[in-house]
Each structure stands twice: as C-alpha cells, then as structure tokens.
Amino acid sequence: MMLSRLKIKVPLSLLAGWIAGDVLTAHAQRSFTLTVAPTNQNGVVVKWPAQSATPVGDLPIVPQFQVQRSSDLKTWAPVSGMLTGALGQTLTWMDSTGMQGFYRVQSMIEQEYAEMNNARLASGQLTGADFFGAKLFGANLSQAALSNASFAGADLRNANLVSANLGGADLFGVEASGALFDQGTLAGADASFADFGNASFFNVDLTKSDFTFSVLSGADLDFAAMGGMKIDTNTVLDAKPALIWKIVNLGAPGAVLTGQDLGSAILTNVNLNGAKLNSASLNSSDLRGADIRGANLTGVDFTLVDFRGTLLNSNTVIDAKDLLIWQIENQGAAGANLTNKDLSAASLQGANLNGAQLNNANLNNSDLRTADVRGANLSGAITTFIDWRGTLFDSNTIVDAKSLLVLQILNQAAGVGKDLRNTNLVNIFLIGANLSSANLSNANCSVSEFFQANFTGANLAKVNFSGSDLDSCNLSSAIMTNANLLNVTLVSANLSNANLRNAITNGANFTGAIFTNTIMPNGTIRNN
C-alpha cells in the first residue's frame, strides 16, 4: 500500500535583538551563539558558527540556516536564502538596508531519505528535524530532542529512542518493529498506519497520540500513559493493553474484571465504581484518583499499588492489609502503632509516619519515597529492598545501620568519595545514587538495585555485584578489576575508560552499553 503525507517543517529560531549600535548575542537550542553588530556603513552583520545538532562523537548533523528580520517581534520576513556551512565554520550575513530591527536565525535539519542505519545521534538537539523516509535501522537516538520531528515513512526498526522526546512528532507509516521508546514521550504524536510490532513503550507518555491503523502486536506497553490515545478497529493491539486502554478511555463502572491482569498500568482517575475485580492483578499499577467505591477487591494483588487520592467507601470490599495501606496513604499514620504489621510490597510514597511505631514491621520491598519517618521506631523491622529516595528522617529515627547508610547516600550525598570497603550492601535500593569516586573495593553489592547510579571514578575492585541491576549506570573511569558481574544487567551503562580486567562477566547483559577505551576482562581494549 502506498502512503503519502504532507510534510510540515518546523524550524528552530534563534533571536538576537534590536540593533541600535551595540553588539548583541544570543544562545540557541542547538547550542550555537548568534552575534549581531553594526557596520560602518549603517548595515548589520550577523554571525554564527555552523555547529552540529548532535554531541561530539555522534554522527555530525549541521543544519541549514535562514536569517529573518522583524520590527515588532510579531511579523517575520526572510532576508536571506538558505545558508549552509561546514562543521565549525563561522557563517556571516550582512544586511545593508540600514533598517533597524530584530533578527533571528532559523535552523532546519533536512535528512529526507538519508542513509543512517546504526548511526549514533544520542542526545541530539533535533527538534523539528525532517527524517522523512530515512533509513535509521538500529540507530541510537536515545535522549534526543525530537519534538515535532518527521519520521514519516522512515525505517526505525530496532532503533534506540529511550528517553527521547517525540512529542508531536510525525511517525506516519513508520517501520519501527523492535524499536525502544522506553521512558520517553510520544504525546500528541501521529503514529498512524505504522508498524510497532514488538516495540517497547515502557513508561512512555502516549497521551493524545494517534495509533489508528497501526500494528502494536507484542509491544510492551507497561506503565504507558494512554489517556486520549486514539486507536480504532484496525489497530492491532494485544488483549491486556487493549483492556487497559478501554478502562482508561471509556471507564469500567460495574464491569466484571474478575481475575484480569491489570498490572503495571497507569489507571489514574479511572472509574471502577462497583466493578468486580476479585482475584485480579493490579501489581505495581497507579490508581491515584481512581474511583473504587463499591468495588469488589477481594484477593486482588495490590503489590506496590499507588492508592493516593483513590476513592473508597464502606461498600468497597478489600482485604485488611490493603485497607491499612490505603488508610496510611490517605489519612496518615503519624504516631500510629504499627508494630508487627505487614506492610511489605506497599506503596507508601509521601506517607506521614512521623513518630510511628514500626518495630518488627515487615517493610520488605516497600516504596517509602518522600515518606516522613522522622522520630519513627523501625527497630527489628524488615527493611530489605526499600526505596528510600527523598525520605525524611532525623536523629530520632531508629533504623538498622545498613538502612541508615542507604538513607544517607540517597538523601545526603554521603556516598561521594566515601570509604565503603568491605561494606554489606546486599538486597538494597540505591537507584540514582551518587557514589562517584567512592571506594567500594571488596564490598558485597549482590542482588541489589543500582539503576542510574553514578560510579564515575569509583574503586569497584573485587566488588560482588552478582545478580544486581546496573542498567544506565555511569561507570566511566571506574576500576572494576576482578569484580563479580555474574548475571548483572548493564543495559545502556557507560563503561568509558573503565577497567574490567579479570572481571567475571558470565551471564552479564551489556546491551546498549557504551565502550570507549574500556579494558575488557581479557585485557583487550573495546570501543563502540
């Protein structure tokens, strides 16, 4: 089937200012400086460097430019043709009319039908770029700014667009099977008539996007925000995400959802009033603001469900443990006696537990981000795998030594340069922790969560990381000699200049990892 599409180019503009005898400068989104200065003949000279829209080390993309002038900042008129330059060249344009005004330079990236398979364009400032029909198979566009860009008819199969901003982008007719869009946004994007088979949209904002006539079979849509997302009878969508889409966009009051899998779903503000959800799985789902009044929730898996603002009443049938978690989240538990209570796998974000008695409570695998545990007694509590990010604690908080260390590393930057040799950091969450330049040699960090942690320049010699998550970690210049990386995930980790000599890497996953002058276990140097 032949598909055609009207292309709309969205240039970026750089405004300099009103010329009245002074030299003016401005900085653009694409990181170049514009200088406007008067000449001796009452003219104006505009200068700027032709810089790449992508970082150093990536495939260089130099935009085209056009100078425009306005007298009122409302109406703009082009005063130059399309200007191009070599990378690093200073472009100069002169206005000899003697007219005063504001000047701006628009930059436009046109890469229609470009051959860019496996190209690295990560973190590129590519807003409004035109990649119509481009070949980008396996390309790395992670963290790129791509709002309002055009990929209509392009080949994005197996491309990496993790954390990319594709808000308002044109993905009409794109081939994107196996592509990764995780943690990014496609809000308002036109993704119709496209193939996203087996693509990953984990934790992606799909609000008000258009997926009509598109293929999403096998796609990972866990934690995808689907409010206002357009699909139709021609959209190929697996049963679970199709049901979640229906609940999110049409509501499900009184619906029979017994035993359904609604886990890992964004169900904020949905209407489940009177619904029969007994024995359903809502594992890790977001129910903030949802209406579950009168719903039957017996036997539901509420592991790590966010209940904040959820509407519940006396007609809601819910298990005692889950009701207690709802009460703590919505009514607080300052000073409460929660001794020996089972609060495992509970989402307690922002909960008020100030002065609470939590001794011998089970808090294993609970989420206590931004919770208030100042003055709380957690002696004897099970505190493995707790997410302590942003948790409020003080000198009156009674907690075991390992948990206190984790609290300090996460919330007081206590890990930077710290001597942590031989430390026990087993079964903990240190997501996003800053451990740069720390000495963790011989530490036991097995079966722990270090996603996006910063280990820049750290001494990790002989550290036992077996079974841990080091995805997206910054391990640049880290010493990892003789480290145990058995079955460790290092997806998208930065291993530039790291030393892995004699490290154990059996079963390790290095998918998408960055290798620059990296010393591998066998002593070879690896670059990608």
Side-chain angles (χ1 to χ4, degrees):
M1 178 174 61
M2 292 294 293
L3 300 177
S4 61
R5 193 60 187 273
L6 174 65
K7 294 178 290 177
I8 301 176
K9 292 181 171 59
V10 183
L12 282 184
S13 299
L14 176 60
L15 175 66
W18 180 267
I19 298 304
D22 294 323
V23 176
L24 302 173
T25 62
H27 297 275
Q29 285 179 279
R30 300 208 211 267
S31 301
F32 64 89
T33 300
L34 175 66
T35 302
V36 181
T39 69
N40 294 332
Q41 292 77 34
N42 296 321
V44 170
V45 174
V46 183
K47 294 183 179 181
W48 67 96
Q51 294 183 349
S52 176
T54 54
V56 174
D58 285 8
L59 178 69
I61 295 182
V62 180
Q64 291 181 301
F65 305 95
Q66 184 181 63
V67 182
Q68 297 182 350
R69 184 179 59 216
S70 173
S71 60
D72 57 8
L73 289 176
K74 296 179 181 179
T75 303
W76 293 90
V79 290
S80 79
M82 296 305 300
L83 306 173
T84 60
L87 181 63
Q89 177 184 351
T90 297
L91 297 177
T92 301
W93 177 86
M94 180 179 295
D95 186 354
S96 58
T97 63
M99 298 176 61
Q100 291 185 338
F102 294 95
Y103 290 83
R104 71 181 185 186
V105 173
Q106 288 192 325
S107 63
M108 287 171 278
I109 295 174
E110 297 188 8
Q111 295 289 331
E112 295 180 12
Y113 302 105
E115 296 286 341
M116 306 175 81
N117 290 334
N118 298 305
R120 181 173 176 83
L121 303 169
S123 301
Q125 297 297 307
L126 302 167
T127 298
D130 184 0
F131 291 103
F132 183 91
K135 304 299 183 183
L136 289 155
F137 179 92
N140 186 348
L141 289 148
S142 59
Q143 300 185 56
L146 293 162
S147 57
N148 299 308
S150 174
F151 290 94
D155 182 359
L156 284 170
R157 290 174 298 158
N158 297 328
N160 179 358
L161 293 113
V162 173
S163 299
N165 181 356
L166 286 153
D170 183 358
L171 296 164
F172 178 86
V174 74
E175 293 284 340
S177 58
L180 303 178
F181 296 91
D182 301 349
Q183 314 287 345
T185 179
L186 277 81
D190 183 352
S192 58
F193 291 89
D195 182 2
F196 296 100
N198 297 310
S200 182
F201 294 93
F202 181 88
N203 194 28
V204 172
D205 184 358
L206 299 175
T207 54
K208 298 183 179 180
S209 57
D210 184 354
F211 281 84
T212 54
F213 283 89
S214 285
V215 175
L216 287 158
S217 55
D220 182 355
L221 289 156
D222 285 351
F223 300 107
M226 299 188 205
M229 171 186 171
K230 289 176 63 178
I231 64 174
D232 61 11
T233 56
N234 297 295
T235 303
V236 182
L237 187 61
D238 294 342
K240 177 184 173 180
L243 176 58
I244 293 170
W245 178 92
K246 182 178 180 181
I247 294 171
V248 168
N249 290 283
L250 304 177
V256 178
L257 298 166
T258 302
Q260 291 290 342
D261 181 5
L262 302 173
S264 303
I266 304 297
L267 297 170
T268 53
N269 302 309
V270 299
N271 186 354
L272 292 165
N273 191 304
K276 294 178 175 58
L277 286 149
N278 38 308
S279 300
S281 174
L282 285 158
N283 189 317
S284 302
S285 289
D286 188 346
L287 279 175
R288 284 178 295 173
D291 185 352
I292 55 174
R293 291 174 294 184
N296 184 345
L297 303 165
T298 54
V300 170
D301 180 1
F302 279 118
T303 299
L304 290 172
V305 166
D306 194 338
F307 281 121
R308 286 176 291 176
T310 305
L311 301 178
L312 177 152
N313 63 9
S314 58
N315 294 318
T316 303
V317 183
I318 187 170
D319 297 340
K321 174 187 174 182
D322 303 313
L323 178 59
L324 175 59
I325 293 169
W326 179 88
Q327 290 169 335
I328 294 172
E329 275 282 78
N330 291 282
Q331 299 170 356
N337 185 0
L338 298 169
T339 301
N340 297 315
K341 291 295 183 181
D342 182 7
L343 299 172
S344 60
S347 176
L348 298 170
Q349 292 184 56
N352 186 355
L353 293 162
N354 191 303
Q357 298 300 309
L358 287 155
N359 34 310
N360 299 312
N362 184 356
L363 288 159
N364 175 56
N365 199 35
S366 287
D367 187 348
L368 285 168
R369 282 176 293 172
T370 69
D372 184 352
V373 295
R374 289 174 295 184
N377 183 354
L378 291 94
S379 59
I382 300 174
T383 57
T384 48
F385 292 113
I386 289 179
D387 192 341
W388 295 108
R389 286 176 291 172
T391 305
L392 300 176
F393 67 103
D394 59 16
S395 59
N396 295 314
T397 303
I398 302 174
V399 68
D400 63 274
K402 183 163 72 171
S403 295
L404 179 60
L405 175 61
V406 173
L407 279 162
Q408 292 170 336
I409 291 173
L410 287 172
N411 301 296
Q412 297 178 345
V416 178
K418 189 173 181 64
D419 186 351
L420 295 168
R421 287 174 293 176
N422 304 301
T423 302
N424 177 7
L425 293 172
V426 177
N427 296 340
I428 58 165
F429 271 64
L430 277 172
I431 298 173
N434 188 352
L435 291 158
S436 57
S437 301
N439 186 352
L440 287 115
S441 56
N442 290 297
N444 190 350
C445 300
S446 59
V447 198
S448 289
E449 178 63 68
F450 293 98
F451 178 72
Q452 290 186 338
N454 182 2
F455 289 101
T456 303
N459 184 352
L460 306 176
K462 298 183 180 180
V463 171
N464 181 6
F465 277 119
S466 60
S468 289
D469 180 3
L470 294 172
D471 289 351
S472 299
C473 282
N474 188 348
L475 293 153
S476 57
S477 301
I479 300 170
M480 304 176 71
T481 52
N482 299 290
N484 185 350
L485 302 174
L486 181 69
N487 297 321
V488 170
T489 61
L490 289 137
V491 175
S492 299
N494 184 354
L495 290 158
S496 300
N497 300 302
N499 185 351
L500 281 73
R501 181 78 183 195
N502 295 321
I504 300 171
T505 59
N506 302 66
N509 184 353
F510 290 98
T511 303
I514 300 171
F515 296 95
T516 305
N517 297 320
T518 305
I519 302 175
M520 301 304 290
N522 61 1
T524 60
I525 305 297
R526 181 172 175 180
N527 292 282
N528 65 359

